[in-house]
Amino acid sequence: MREVSTGRVVIVGAGLGALYAALKLAPRPVLMISPEVLGQGASSAWAQGGVAAAMDPTDSAEAHARDTLRAGAGTVDPAVAALVTEEARAHILDLTRLGTPFDRRPDGGYVLSREAAHSFARVVRVRGDQAGAEIMRALVACLREAPSVQVLEGVMATELRVEDGRVAGVEVALSGPQGSAPVLIRAPAVLLAGGGSGGLYALTTNPPRIRGQVIGMAARAGAEIADAEFVQFHPTAIDCGEDPAPLATEALRGEGAHLVNRLGERFMPAVHPDAELAPRDVVARAIYAQSQAGLRPMLDTRACLGDRILTEFPAVAGACARAGIDPTREPIPVAAAAHYHMGGVAVDSDGRASLDRLWVCGEASSTGLHGANRLASNGLLEALVYARRCALSIEARLGPAQGGDPVSLPDLPPGPVPDPALVARLRRAMTEGAGVLRDAGGLTCCLREIAAIEAAQPDCPALLNMTAAATLIAAAALMRQESRGAHCRTDFPQTLPEGRRSRLTLAQALALRASLEPETT
């Protein structure tokens, strides 16, 4: 295998966590690995709601932490919730300084939205539903001006190189349709910030490349994975046949939009006291039940927003226009779609993984903040907080920077790429067996199907990363014999008295999967 060496810190990913960490590491030389053109293809750019932070004088970090604990259904780490919510305000001010055009009131204060399970309006937004895109645009502009950052576009990480229990570098390949043979980039430290696992499901709001590869890559290298079973399904993906499904932001419900079915009936008041603003897992299951009953759930914004939706929520309006839906005159069809992975690579309060010289931030990590059910708009906040903490930890671990010359990759021949039919098969298996509702039979069938998919193309690292993440999700879901937060077992509907986080290695998950294989004669 070809090799190149660098003194730069390698950051895998190009979303919010990756960009923010690169800026916080400056002037230390950084090499970013981005499968797409910088700023494209990252879940962060698609985030509509905004960033949760206690910016109102009547609100507080303590109240924000309490809401986080309550939404997380008993498995949030209280110390982490306190740490993250305490830092939130400073990061909003920092993003403002870096050029993010947050919505402001005439008096200069921030416009704040209330989202599900928040006791205050505390979601800072940009032009209604443009927060992710505008924050990314501001950070990309700053990054382009940072001489310490080199970006390799059109390149994706495929494997971590571990030597003597320490991450020594990362193998990368070209991300185009032909793929390429891998090349090893040796580096003093690796930060994984490459997104979650929503794209492992047939119906998802995630960009096409976000299919658990980074989590799977870390797991294949031996890193410990936490809370893998907790996958959040967004209740209001726009049900219009697009893949990925466009998102109807939760802020619409915060503005007063109602969920109705094809009969015109509101169904959430009978499900939860907070109705449309109930925790996401509750709303997602209610939406799913309406869909399964053939009652076509829809989001009605006509009374609360009317024509304002066209200007105040342009992403939603644009998605509706593409689908031939006029939200000013008719409700928007919606469905529950895989949206956010609460689980990921287990990290400590500084973002360090169980492997030496490996750090993880953003959705690929599991910090203990989200528990069993992420509080709305805490995702971007966590990425900001831990990107900075990772940067500080890397600085402390490495000492003075050395060897910051730009990296050039050699010419690479074509290499294996995932068979699209196998990827589609994997996504169907996850939706059917490890989706909104789960039971032992479905999860067992899912794990067996993942094993068959893996065996069909065993020489493709990118596919193996996907199947590793899928195996961890399904195995952890099979092991958790209760219903908690986003994890709903129809064969174990009760919630156990004591909440606990799950921790699992890929070796353990594979052993469980192997034990389920039917005996051959």
Side-chain angles (χ1 to χ4, degrees):
M1 181 184 296
R2 305 286 292 274
E3 295 187 10
V4 296
S5 295
T6 181
R8 293 173 177 261
V9 172
V10 172
I11 299 180
V12 174
L16 177 62
L19 295 174
Y20 203 57
L23 292 172
K24 295 303 177 184
L25 279 164
R28 177 178 289 277
V30 165
L31 176 67
M32 290 186 66
I33 307 298
S34 177
E36 315 283 352
V37 174
L38 191 61
Q40 299 179 11
S43 296
S44 303
W46 293 22
Q48 293 184 1
V51 185
M55 305 298 290
D56 190 294
T58 62
D59 195 4
S60 67
E62 291 77 16
H64 188 179
R66 284 196 300 272
D67 290 346
T68 299
L69 288 165
R70 185 170 61 251
T75 56
V76 173
D77 184 326
V80 171
L83 177 156
V84 171
T85 56
E86 184 62 37
E87 291 190 18
R89 179 181 176 85
H91 289 289
I92 298 299
L93 299 177
D94 191 32
L95 288 178
T96 303
R97 180 183 61 80
L98 292 172
T100 302
F102 289 116
D103 294 347
R104 309 294 282 271
R105 301 193 306 266
D107 64 2
Y110 292 86
V111 174
L112 302 173
S113 295
R114 185 183 173 198
E115 294 188 356
H118 285 275
S119 57
F120 282 84
R122 64 163 69 94
V123 178
V124 184
R125 65 188 195 182
V126 183
R127 290 194 294 129
D129 59 11
Q130 298 292 295
E134 291 296 337
I135 293 170
M136 287 287 289
R137 188 173 291 114
L139 294 184
V140 167
C142 292
L143 203 76
R144 294 292 191 195
E145 299 298 319
S148 60
V149 182
Q150 179 190 0
V151 183
L152 285 180
E153 297 175 329
V155 176
M156 64 183 297
T158 56
E159 298 197 46
L160 290 173
R161 176 65 63 89
V162 179
E163 297 173 354
D164 300 323
R166 169 183 296 177
V167 171
V170 61
E171 295 178 21
V172 304
L174 302 182
S175 60
Q178 301 301 315
S180 77
V183 57
L184 171 63
I185 301 176
R186 291 189 174 274
V190 175
L191 169 59
L192 300 180
S197 305
L200 289 173
Y201 290 82
L203 184 60
T204 181
T205 63
N206 284 199
R209 288 192 191 275
I210 308 300
R211 291 180 176 157
Q213 297 97 318
V214 169
I215 295 169
M217 179 173 62
R220 290 176 62 218
E224 185 181 56
I225 308 300
D227 296 341
E229 66 271 36
F230 295 122
V231 178
Q232 187 169 70
F233 295 86
H234 199 291
T236 54
I238 300 176
D239 189 12
C240 60
E242 286 190 28
D243 181 25
L247 187 65
T249 173
E250 202 158 282
L252 293 170
R253 283 175 280 140
E255 292 287 329
H258 291 156
L259 287 164
V260 298
N261 59 28
R262 64 178 175 80
L263 303 177
E265 301 166 338
R266 284 185 69 189
F267 51 87
M268 282 309 302
V271 175
H272 193 277
D274 292 336
E276 280 79 7
L277 292 179
R280 279 185 176 175
D281 64 306
V282 175
V283 184
R285 284 193 289 274
I287 293 269
Y288 184 77
Q290 294 285 316
S291 297
Q292 292 297 100
L295 291 173
R296 187 72 163 154
M298 296 176 283
L299 184 68
D300 193 344
T301 66
R302 292 173 295 179
C304 66
L305 286 171
D307 291 346
R308 289 167 47 213
I309 191 172
L310 304 179
T311 54
E312 295 185 18
F313 296 92
V316 175
C320 288
R322 291 195 304 272
I325 301 165
D326 182 354
T328 69
R329 295 180 178 273
E330 59 188 320
I332 304 166
V334 293
H339 181 60
Y340 190 93
H341 195 182
M342 278 78 79
V345 183
V347 297
D348 67 10
S349 61
D350 291 320
R352 294 178 299 191
S354 59
L355 297 175
D356 189 21
R357 295 189 182 249
L358 179 66
W359 288 259
V360 192
C361 70
E363 195 174 347
S365 70
S366 180
T367 65
L369 176 68
H370 302 310
N373 196 37
R374 177 181 66 113
L375 182 65
S377 292
N378 265 0
L380 295 184
L381 172 61
E382 181 198 53
L384 292 165
V385 169
Y386 275 86
R388 173 182 170 274
R389 297 184 77 84
C390 284
L392 294 174
S393 179
I394 290 169
E395 282 285 359
R397 177 71 171 82
L398 298 187
Q402 297 179 354
D405 293 338
V407 173
S408 297
L409 298 185
D411 291 333
L412 298 169
V417 295
D419 180 342
L422 291 177
V423 175
R425 185 175 160 190
L426 176 63
R427 296 176 73 191
R428 286 195 301 271
M430 290 296 287
T431 296
E432 292 169 4
V436 176
L437 300 179
R438 304 163 172 180
D439 61 28
L443 290 164
T444 297
C445 289
C446 180
L447 284 164
R448 288 174 176 167
E449 179 73 346
I450 295 168
I453 292 165
E454 202 170 90
Q457 196 179 9
D459 62 342
C460 180
L463 182 65
L464 294 179
N465 291 335
M466 294 183 210
T467 57
T471 297
L472 284 155
I473 292 169
L478 184 59
M479 294 169 66
R480 185 175 287 276
Q481 296 183 342
E482 63 165 346
S483 291
R484 183 180 295 274
H487 170 70
C488 184
R489 287 282 297 264
T490 57
D491 50 350
F492 291 97
Q494 300 303 314
T495 301
L496 297 177
E498 185 177 348
R500 56 171 180 81
R501 298 182 65 194
S502 69
R503 294 183 181 272
L504 195 62
T505 64
L506 181 58
Q508 292 167 331
L510 290 173
L512 173 61
R513 192 178 79 181
S515 73
L516 302 173
E517 292 299 309
E519 293 184 6
T520 57
T521 58

